[in-house]
Amino acid sequence: MYDRALQALVKLGMEPEWEARFEPNSYGFRPGRSTHDAIEAIYTSINQKPKYVLDADISKCFDRINHDALLRKVGQTPYRRLIKQWLKSGVFDNKQFSGTAEGTPQGGVISPLLANIALHGMEECLSKFAESLPGRKRDNKWALSLIRYADDFVILHKDIKVVLQAKAVIQEWLNQVGLELKPEKTKIAHTLEEYEGNKPGFDFLGFTIRQGQVKSTKLGFKTLIKPSSKSIKTHYRKLADICDKHKTAPTKALIAKLNPVIKGWANYFSDVVSKEMFNSLDHLLVIRLWRWAKRRHPNKSAKWVKKKYFPNIKETRNWVLNDGEYILNLHSDVPIIRHIKVKGNKSPYDGDWTYWSSRIGKHPGVRKEVTTLLKRQKNKCAFCGLTFSPTDLMEVDHIKPRSKGGDNTYKNKQLLHRHCHDTKTTLDNKTYPKPKLQDLPDGYLWVNDMLVLR
């Protein structure tokens, strides 16, 4: 426990420095970045031109990282000695000690950061390779893309020969840190269907990415990103297992088990083309739940079972499992909202607190109230509509003034520039009833809705 706490402290000390140095298309195990950013990066790379893709996986990444190569990258920092001790500490398994000559300790607090440090430089290596290709260096660098999430990565280019050369370059680079590609999980595909006989698209991080030929667009194709068939089957199998394990459980208990699984999976895929799949899963789940309900009452009519377990809700929702108090979440209840990719080399430690507060809803040193409102307003002033900058003076305003009966909840709050807040307050004051003449201060009178000296 002491070592885990110490690793957390070292990680807090090292992470801001390395976040400023890490490459823009590295998304795994980094604060403020996610799998959805990696998927959006792939979409940006292929949405204007179909490309070949090298879908690769690094074999036993955490277990085979070369210690000397990793320590050279860490450099002469105050944490070098501690990191070396953790790397060399060894493993106890069934009271048997075995040394660790390579790799980082899996499950360690600092291990993901060390893995990212070890893999830092892949994109720069590929960029140098692109510059060596014939043609303009700038165009070559834009045409060749590497997107990495932890030990999984893809390389995209329109020419298969360039992709094969890039594979050899990356393999040689990985050998320098003691790693290699996993042959059974490394393959080359093309994003466009029916292209030279290849199977269209590829799976990455649970998503299927492919392009279909259509006549409705100028490009002649459309990029579609959906949940992969493996993800769908695994998810449905999990829902079915929950139903099977709760054959005699109360309806409330079954709903309590199903809801977090449904909501979590649907939220993960809620920023891609998933609506049809959500409806299909809901249909399959209703069939499964109907069998679950009928099995419990073999001597009752279907109408009786329907009324007991699937009563209508407000005449708008039919065939939803509920017991009057608890209602089953449906996949289709989750709205499809497109994810906005993180900007280039942005880091939560770069001082742009307005950007990160509006993106992830939190930032150290900023009140939760402010970050929540920034995220809700998408980093824009609710009065003038302009984007906030880190140097702007901003204030929390009550939409309906407290003096007029407004409450102090988030629903009645908005974030405004200070000058916008002053303007809104002035406009709010204009609606107040004017004081009677005898209540005016001595020497003042009303002129054009303004209180002025006589």
PDB file of all heavy atoms in Angstrom, residues 381-401:
ATOM      1  N   CYS A 381     -20.728  32.058 -23.303  1.00  0.00           N
ATOM      2  CA  CYS A 381     -21.510  32.949 -22.445  1.00  0.00           C
ATOM      3  C   CYS A 381     -22.986  32.835 -22.818  1.00  0.00           C
ATOM      4  O   CYS A 381     -23.346  32.911 -23.996  1.00  0.00           O
ATOM      5  CB  CYS A 381     -21.024  34.387 -22.587  1.00  0.00           C
ATOM      6  SG  CYS A 381     -22.009  35.609 -21.689  1.00  0.00           S
ATOM      7  N   ALA A 382     -23.847  32.689 -21.818  1.00  0.00           N
ATOM      8  CA  ALA A 382     -25.268  32.513 -22.076  1.00  0.00           C
ATOM      9  C   ALA A 382     -25.943  33.802 -22.528  1.00  0.00           C
ATOM     10  O   ALA A 382     -27.064  33.769 -23.031  1.00  0.00           O
ATOM     11  CB  ALA A 382     -25.960  31.982 -20.821  1.00  0.00           C
ATOM     12  N   PHE A 383     -25.263  34.932 -22.388  1.00  0.00           N
ATOM     13  CA  PHE A 383     -25.859  36.224 -22.751  1.00  0.00           C
ATOM     14  C   PHE A 383     -25.430  36.671 -24.152  1.00  0.00           C
ATOM     15  O   PHE A 383     -26.251  36.950 -25.005  1.00  0.00           O
ATOM     16  CB  PHE A 383     -25.481  37.288 -21.720  1.00  0.00           C
ATOM     17  CG  PHE A 383     -26.209  38.590 -21.878  1.00  0.00           C
ATOM     18  CD1 PHE A 383     -27.478  38.748 -21.364  1.00  0.00           C
ATOM     19  CD2 PHE A 383     -25.628  39.654 -22.548  1.00  0.00           C
ATOM     20  CE1 PHE A 383     -28.167  39.952 -21.508  1.00  0.00           C
ATOM     21  CE2 PHE A 383     -26.295  40.855 -22.709  1.00  0.00           C
ATOM     22  CZ  PHE A 383     -27.576  40.998 -22.194  1.00  0.00           C
ATOM     23  N   CYS A 384     -24.100  36.709 -24.394  1.00  0.00           N
ATOM     24  CA  CYS A 384     -23.611  37.202 -25.692  1.00  0.00           C
ATOM     25  C   CYS A 384     -23.284  36.079 -26.669  1.00  0.00           C
ATOM     26  O   CYS A 384     -23.121  36.323 -27.862  1.00  0.00           O
ATOM     27  CB  CYS A 384     -22.389  38.089 -25.490  1.00  0.00           C
ATOM     28  SG  CYS A 384     -20.932  37.210 -24.852  1.00  0.00           S
ATOM     29  N   GLY A 385     -23.148  34.842 -26.172  1.00  0.00           N
ATOM     30  CA  GLY A 385     -22.871  33.711 -27.046  1.00  0.00           C
ATOM     31  C   GLY A 385     -21.425  33.545 -27.447  1.00  0.00           C
ATOM     32  O   GLY A 385     -21.091  32.641 -28.220  1.00  0.00           O
ATOM     33  N   LEU A 386     -20.514  34.391 -26.929  1.00  0.00           N
ATOM     34  CA  LEU A 386     -19.100  34.296 -27.274  1.00  0.00           C
ATOM     35  C   LEU A 386     -18.407  33.255 -26.397  1.00  0.00           C
ATOM     36  O   LEU A 386     -18.813  33.017 -25.259  1.00  0.00           O
ATOM     37  CB  LEU A 386     -18.418  35.659 -27.115  1.00  0.00           C
ATOM     38  CG  LEU A 386     -18.932  36.787 -28.031  1.00  0.00           C
ATOM     39  CD1 LEU A 386     -18.202  38.089 -27.722  1.00  0.00           C
ATOM     40  CD2 LEU A 386     -18.755  36.414 -29.494  1.00  0.00           C
ATOM     41  N   THR A 387     -17.348  32.649 -26.931  1.00  0.00           N
ATOM     42  CA  THR A 387     -16.609  31.621 -26.199  1.00  0.00           C
ATOM     43  C   THR A 387     -15.758  32.254 -25.108  1.00  0.00           C
ATOM     44  O   THR A 387     -15.103  33.263 -25.320  1.00  0.00           O
ATOM     45  CB  THR A 387     -15.715  30.826 -27.167  1.00  0.00           C
ATOM     46  OG1 THR A 387     -16.543  30.246 -28.190  1.00  0.00           O
ATOM     47  CG2 THR A 387     -14.969  29.721 -26.437  1.00  0.00           C
ATOM     48  N   PHE A 388     -15.766  31.632 -23.928  1.00  0.00           N
ATOM     49  CA  PHE A 388     -14.944  32.115 -22.832  1.00  0.00           C
ATOM     50  C   PHE A 388     -13.472  31.821 -23.102  1.00  0.00           C
ATOM     51  O   PHE A 388     -13.129  30.803 -23.715  1.00  0.00           O
ATOM     52  CB  PHE A 388     -15.339  31.426 -21.522  1.00  0.00           C
ATOM     53  CG  PHE A 388     -16.662  31.853 -20.961  1.00  0.00           C
ATOM     54  CD1 PHE A 388     -17.714  30.953 -20.882  1.00  0.00           C
ATOM     55  CD2 PHE A 388     -16.851  33.146 -20.512  1.00  0.00           C
ATOM     56  CE1 PHE A 388     -18.940  31.333 -20.360  1.00  0.00           C
ATOM     57  CE2 PHE A 388     -18.075  33.548 -19.990  1.00  0.00           C
ATOM     58  CZ  PHE A 388     -19.118  32.640 -19.911  1.00  0.00           C
ATOM     59  N   SER A 389     -12.610  32.688 -22.636  1.00  0.00           N
ATOM     60  CA  SER A 389     -11.171  32.430 -22.653  1.00  0.00           C
ATOM     61  C   SER A 389     -10.691  32.390 -21.201  1.00  0.00           C
ATOM     62  O   SER A 389     -11.366  32.910 -20.304  1.00  0.00           O
ATOM     63  CB  SER A 389     -10.432  33.537 -23.422  1.00  0.00           C
ATOM     64  OG  SER A 389     -10.468  34.753 -22.702  1.00  0.00           O
ATOM     65  N   PRO A 390      -9.518  31.780 -20.944  1.00  0.00           N
ATOM     66  CA  PRO A 390      -9.053  31.639 -19.550  1.00  0.00           C
ATOM     67  C   PRO A 390      -8.873  32.973 -18.828  1.00  0.00           C
ATOM     68  O   PRO A 390      -8.898  33.012 -17.597  1.00  0.00           O
ATOM     69  CB  PRO A 390      -7.714  30.903 -19.702  1.00  0.00           C
ATOM     70  CG  PRO A 390      -7.796  30.209 -21.007  1.00  0.00           C
ATOM     71  CD  PRO A 390      -8.626  31.094 -21.884  1.00  0.00           C
ATOM     72  N   THR A 391      -8.679  34.055 -19.561  1.00  0.00           N
ATOM     73  CA  THR A 391      -8.443  35.354 -18.922  1.00  0.00           C
ATOM     74  C   THR A 391      -9.723  36.161 -18.713  1.00  0.00           C
ATOM     75  O   THR A 391      -9.673  37.245 -18.131  1.00  0.00           O
ATOM     76  CB  THR A 391      -7.461  36.184 -19.774  1.00  0.00           C
ATOM     77  OG1 THR A 391      -7.988  36.334 -21.100  1.00  0.00           O
ATOM     78  CG2 THR A 391      -6.106  35.494 -19.851  1.00  0.00           C
ATOM     79  N   ASP A 392     -10.861  35.663 -19.196  1.00  0.00           N
ATOM     80  CA  ASP A 392     -12.121  36.401 -19.055  1.00  0.00           C
ATOM     81  C   ASP A 392     -12.579  36.420 -17.604  1.00  0.00           C
ATOM     82  O   ASP A 392     -12.393  35.444 -16.855  1.00  0.00           O
ATOM     83  CB  ASP A 392     -13.214  35.764 -19.917  1.00  0.00           C
ATOM     84  CG  ASP A 392     -13.042  36.057 -21.392  1.00  0.00           C
ATOM     85  OD1 ASP A 392     -12.251  36.956 -21.711  1.00  0.00           O
ATOM     86  OD2 ASP A 392     -13.679  35.376 -22.220  1.00  0.00           O
ATOM     87  N   LEU A 393     -13.195  37.532 -17.214  1.00  0.00           N
ATOM     88  CA  LEU A 393     -13.840  37.627 -15.913  1.00  0.00           C
ATOM     89  C   LEU A 393     -15.268  37.146 -16.073  1.00  0.00           C
ATOM     90  O   LEU A 393     -16.011  37.645 -16.916  1.00  0.00           O
ATOM     91  CB  LEU A 393     -13.820  39.072 -15.407  1.00  0.00           C
ATOM     92  CG  LEU A 393     -12.429  39.674 -15.170  1.00  0.00           C
ATOM     93  CD1 LEU A 393     -12.549  41.142 -14.794  1.00  0.00           C
ATOM     94  CD2 LEU A 393     -11.690  38.911 -14.081  1.00  0.00           C
ATOM     95  N   MET A 394     -15.655  36.139 -15.291  1.00  0.00           N
ATOM     96  CA  MET A 394     -16.991  35.572 -15.439  1.00  0.00           C
ATOM     97  C   MET A 394     -17.654  35.441 -14.076  1.00  0.00           C
ATOM     98  O   MET A 394     -16.984  35.287 -13.048  1.00  0.00           O
ATOM     99  CB  MET A 394     -16.933  34.226 -16.161  1.00  0.00           C
ATOM    100  CG  MET A 394     -16.000  33.218 -15.551  1.00  0.00           C
ATOM    101  SD  MET A 394     -15.797  31.750 -16.586  1.00  0.00           S
ATOM    102  CE  MET A 394     -14.707  32.376 -17.865  1.00  0.00           C
ATOM    103  N   GLU A 395     -18.961  35.491 -14.084  1.00  0.00           N
ATOM    104  CA  GLU A 395     -19.732  35.436 -12.852  1.00  0.00           C
ATOM    105  C   GLU A 395     -20.953  34.546 -13.040  1.00  0.00           C
ATOM    106  O   GLU A 395     -21.476  34.410 -14.159  1.00  0.00           O
ATOM    107  CB  GLU A 395     -20.180  36.847 -12.438  1.00  0.00           C
ATOM    108  CG  GLU A 395     -19.018  37.760 -12.081  1.00  0.00           C
ATOM    109  CD  GLU A 395     -19.471  39.167 -11.754  1.00  0.00           C
ATOM    110  OE1 GLU A 395     -20.652  39.501 -12.051  1.00  0.00           O
ATOM    111  OE2 GLU A 395     -18.664  39.936 -11.194  1.00  0.00           O
ATOM    112  N   VAL A 396     -21.399  33.950 -11.924  1.00  0.00           N
ATOM    113  CA  VAL A 396     -22.603  33.114 -11.941  1.00  0.00           C
ATOM    114  C   VAL A 396     -23.818  34.011 -11.741  1.00  0.00           C
ATOM    115  O   VAL A 396     -23.855  34.831 -10.822  1.00  0.00           O
ATOM    116  CB  VAL A 396     -22.539  32.040 -10.836  1.00  0.00           C
ATOM    117  CG1 VAL A 396     -23.829  31.227 -10.811  1.00  0.00           C
ATOM    118  CG2 VAL A 396     -21.345  31.118 -11.059  1.00  0.00           C
ATOM    119  N   ASP A 397     -24.790  33.877 -12.637  1.00  0.00           N
ATOM    120  CA  ASP A 397     -25.991  34.714 -12.609  1.00  0.00           C
ATOM    121  C   ASP A 397     -27.226  33.853 -12.378  1.00  0.00           C
ATOM    122  O   ASP A 397     -27.295  32.704 -12.842  1.00  0.00           O
ATOM    123  CB  ASP A 397     -26.129  35.455 -13.949  1.00  0.00           C
ATOM    124  CG  ASP A 397     -27.487  36.115 -14.107  1.00  0.00           C
ATOM    125  OD1 ASP A 397     -27.759  37.056 -13.336  1.00  0.00           O
ATOM    126  OD2 ASP A 397     -28.260  35.671 -14.977  1.00  0.00           O
ATOM    127  N   HIS A 398     -28.189  34.370 -11.645  1.00  0.00           N
ATOM    128  CA  HIS A 398     -29.484  33.718 -11.489  1.00  0.00           C
ATOM    129  C   HIS A 398     -30.394  34.155 -12.634  1.00  0.00           C
ATOM    130  O   HIS A 398     -30.627  35.348 -12.811  1.00  0.00           O
ATOM    131  CB  HIS A 398     -30.107  34.087 -10.142  1.00  0.00           C
ATOM    132  CG  HIS A 398     -29.397  33.490  -8.964  1.00  0.00           C
ATOM    133  ND1 HIS A 398     -28.330  34.122  -8.352  1.00  0.00           N
ATOM    134  CD2 HIS A 398     -29.584  32.316  -8.317  1.00  0.00           C
ATOM    135  CE1 HIS A 398     -27.895  33.367  -7.360  1.00  0.00           C
ATOM    136  NE2 HIS A 398     -28.634  32.264  -7.309  1.00  0.00           N
ATOM    137  N   ILE A 399     -30.846  33.194 -13.407  1.00  0.00           N
ATOM    138  CA  ILE A 399     -31.681  33.503 -14.573  1.00  0.00           C
ATOM    139  C   ILE A 399     -32.922  34.283 -14.139  1.00  0.00           C
ATOM    140  O   ILE A 399     -33.250  35.321 -14.703  1.00  0.00           O
ATOM    141  CB  ILE A 399     -32.073  32.206 -15.307  1.00  0.00           C
ATOM    142  CG1 ILE A 399     -30.808  31.483 -15.800  1.00  0.00           C
ATOM    143  CG2 ILE A 399     -33.015  32.498 -16.469  1.00  0.00           C
ATOM    144  CD1 ILE A 399     -31.062  30.106 -16.349  1.00  0.00           C
ATOM    145  N   LYS A 400     -33.603  33.752 -13.139  1.00  0.00           N
ATOM    146  CA  LYS A 400     -34.694  34.495 -12.506  1.00  0.00           C
ATOM    147  C   LYS A 400     -34.149  35.046 -11.194  1.00  0.00           C
ATOM    148  O   LYS A 400     -33.770  34.272 -10.309  1.00  0.00           O
ATOM    149  CB  LYS A 400     -35.892  33.588 -12.244  1.00  0.00           C
ATOM    150  CG  LYS A 400     -37.092  34.330 -11.659  1.00  0.00           C
ATOM    151  CD  LYS A 400     -38.266  33.377 -11.466  1.00  0.00           C
ATOM    152  CE  LYS A 400     -39.473  34.126 -10.904  1.00  0.00           C
ATOM    153  NZ  LYS A 400     -40.635  33.225 -10.684  1.00  0.00           N
ATOM    154  N   PRO A 401     -34.048  36.372 -11.035  1.00  0.00           N
ATOM    155  CA  PRO A 401     -33.404  36.948  -9.852  1.00  0.00           C
ATOM    156  C   PRO A 401     -34.001  36.426  -8.547  1.00  0.00           C
ATOM    157  O   PRO A 401     -35.201  36.163  -8.466  1.00  0.00           O
ATOM    158  CB  PRO A 401     -33.648  38.448 -10.023  1.00  0.00           C
ATOM    159  CG  PRO A 401     -33.856  38.644 -11.485  1.00  0.00           C
ATOM    160  CD  PRO A 401     -34.532  37.406 -11.962  1.00  0.00           C
TER     161      PRO A 401
END
